[in-house]
Amino acid sequence: MLLTRLDVPHPPDDWSAALPVVRHLETHGLVFTEQVTFLVGENGSGKSTLIEAIADVCGINSEGGKAGTKYASTGMPLPLGEAAEVELTALGIELLRGPRRRRRGFFFRAETLFNLGRNVSGLPGFWDDDLTAQSHGEGFFTVLDRMVSGPGLYLMDEPEAALSFRSCLRLLYLMHRVAREGGQIICATHSPILASLPGAQIVELGENGIQNATWEDLQLVDDWRRFLAKPGSYLRYVLESD
Ligand SMILES: Nc1ncnc2c1ncn2[C@@H]1O[C@H](COP(=O)(O)OP(=O)(O)OP(=O)(O)O)[C@@H](O)[C@H]1O
Ligand SMILES: [Mg+2]
């Protein structure tokens, strides 16, 4: 583990202070107990806000990218990142706060990945292939295979966005391998496949802030289970509601 705890004792004076997740971090903090943590919750529950703040406070570019390149595009820290406090292990201090060239961290942010690719494909320390010459999902694995490996802190925001069912299983294996290699992963997801990784911590964001959850009890798993068992009842409700 590199990162064991996150607190926001004094939230910034902006929109984020009203989010349940930030109010929770102000009073309770968030403890990371496993090498892989999934952040789940409805659209708008604050997963990306939380993961961007973690990136910022850990010195990883919050717009997606590597450790040691933070604020690369805006030149400005995020207010929530600036207000956040982290507890790092000795390994975390070495790999996130040590000499810039030895830092190990990457933020895989699905929504900005192809912009990042335009700027860094082919540069030393990144990947060689041109992402625009690959399919969406193939491009994801070009980056994941190259950038997410070994000890380091790996942040991901909806990495399943371009992935098929089978590619999600491939990503699940990659996560398992990285955890075994001493890496730590914090991943926002809507995927019941990813969240099923054995031994992972799952935290659910919602109206009441943050709570630890089990895969079996996740709303998202229940929704998929019910839908796949009987799509007709959902479809009737959705399509015949007018
Ligand atoms: N720059 C901003 N200014 C004002 N409000 C914002 C800003 N960024 C996010 N928000 C608000 O914060 C809330 C949480 O957004 P966030 O993107 O963290 O959600 P999320 O859990 O990642 O959702 P999704 O599953 O759709 O990705 C949203 O209601 C959003 O409107
Ligand atoms: Mg999001």
Side-chain angles (χ1 to χ4, degrees):
M1 301 273 294
L2 289 79
L3 169 61
T4 51
R5 187 180 171 98
L6 178 82
D7 291 273
V8 182
H10 306 290
D13 187 16
D14 70 358
W15 55 270
S16 67
L19 294 178
V21 58
V22 176
R23 291 207 304 271
H24 184 102
L25 291 170
E26 180 183 2
T27 47
H28 304 290
L30 172 58
V31 177
F32 296 97
T33 57
E34 307 296 337
Q35 276 175 283
V36 181
T37 302
F38 290 104
L39 311 177
V40 304
E42 270 303 321
N43 293 135
S45 57
K47 302 179 298 298
S48 297
T49 304
L50 172 56
I51 213 151
E52 286 162 20
I54 296 171
D56 217 30
V57 70
C58 290
I60 301 172
N61 190 332
S62 61
E63 295 197 348
K66 282 214 293 189
T69 61
K70 71 171 176 173
Y71 322 143
S73 47
T74 61
M76 293 286 288
L78 299 173
L80 188 60
E82 228 174 4
E85 294 179 2
V86 280
E87 278 180 19
L88 300 175
T89 61
L91 184 67
I93 292 169
E94 183 189 332
L95 296 182
L96 296 170
R97 300 264 197 262
R100 199 165 282 266
R101 276 189 308 124
R102 301 222 339 254
R103 292 189 198 168
R104 291 288 176 271
F106 189 76
F107 182 12
F108 182 92
R109 194 173 154 175
E111 60 185 276
T112 56
L113 190 68
F114 286 79
N115 285 339
L116 178 68
R118 261 196 290 279
N119 294 324
V120 304
S121 291
L123 294 181
F126 289 91
W127 53 91
D128 294 328
D129 304 81
D130 174 7
L131 300 185
T132 62
Q134 300 186 326
S135 82
H136 201 188
E138 286 168 349
F140 272 33
F141 274 105
T142 292
V143 177
L144 289 164
D145 286 337
R146 177 70 181 85
M147 306 308 296
V148 181
S149 137
L153 180 64
Y154 305 106
L155 308 175
M156 302 181 186
D157 196 354
E158 300 192 28
E160 73 273 15
L163 302 185
S164 68
F165 179 89
R166 289 175 187 201
S167 290
C168 281
L169 294 178
R170 179 175 162 193
L171 176 54
L172 199 67
Y173 175 72
L174 183 145
M175 291 175 156
H176 168 72
R177 198 199 66 223
V178 168
R180 221 175 37 201
E181 292 168 351
Q184 181 173 355
I185 295 172
I186 301 173
C187 174
T189 190
H190 293 292
S191 167
I193 304 172
L194 297 185
S196 73
L197 184 72
Q201 175 186 16
I202 304 177
V203 295
E204 198 169 25
L205 281 61
E207 289 301 314
N208 299 322
I210 305 175
Q211 52 193 29
N212 278 295
T214 61
W215 186 84
E216 286 76 13
D217 293 335
L218 286 178
Q219 185 63 52
L220 125 97
V221 171
D222 190 50
D223 286 343
W224 274 109
R225 208 181 252 143
R226 287 168 188 261
F227 181 83
L228 291 174
K230 216 172 167 193
S233 47
Y234 277 79
L235 295 176
R236 251 194 317 281
Y237 175 75
V238 172
L239 302 179
E240 294 172 10
S241 56
D242 54 346

